[in-house]
Amino acid sequence: VRGEVVIRADAMAAEGRKIIYTNIGNPHAVGQKPITYYRQVLALCDLPAEWGIANDQIASAFPSDVVERAIEMRSAIGPAGTGA
């Protein structure tokens, strides 16, 4: 990624200033925690119900709050998932 902000940040880094690149790349590199909860809910919303929220073994694979939220979301959006 190259743009005015990155070019200026590189110049400041060359001057010895500490730069934390938070607008590009991997947010985990600057300490952001993974957004696991949202990813898990989305996964359960997009899986066919028999493999996801309607599966008897789902509680052993996902936390209960994730399953509860996915059930709520699926009831609102229907069986087609979240779409493209």
Side-chain angles (χ1 to χ4, degrees), residues 3-84:
E4 288 184 40
V5 173
V6 176
I7 293 169
R8 178 68 179 127
D10 287 344
M12 292 171 72
E15 296 169 358
R17 303 211 29 206
K18 182 179 177 184
I19 305 297
I20 300 173
Y21 295 91
T22 60
N23 64 323
I24 58 174
N26 183 357
H28 303 251
V30 294
Q32 179 178 327
K33 292 183 180 182
I35 51 174
T36 305
Y37 173 82
Y38 301 101
R39 290 178 177 166
Q40 290 175 333
V41 170
L42 182 61
L44 289 177
C45 287
D46 283 337
L47 279 172
E50 64 272 12
W51 295 346
I53 60 172
N55 189 301
D56 294 337
Q57 298 177 10
I58 200 65
S60 65
F62 290 89
S64 61
D65 61 334
V66 168
V67 175
E68 290 171 18
R69 183 66 173 150
I71 290 170
E72 291 174 16
M73 296 297 294
R74 281 294 292 261
S75 68
I77 62 175
T82 60

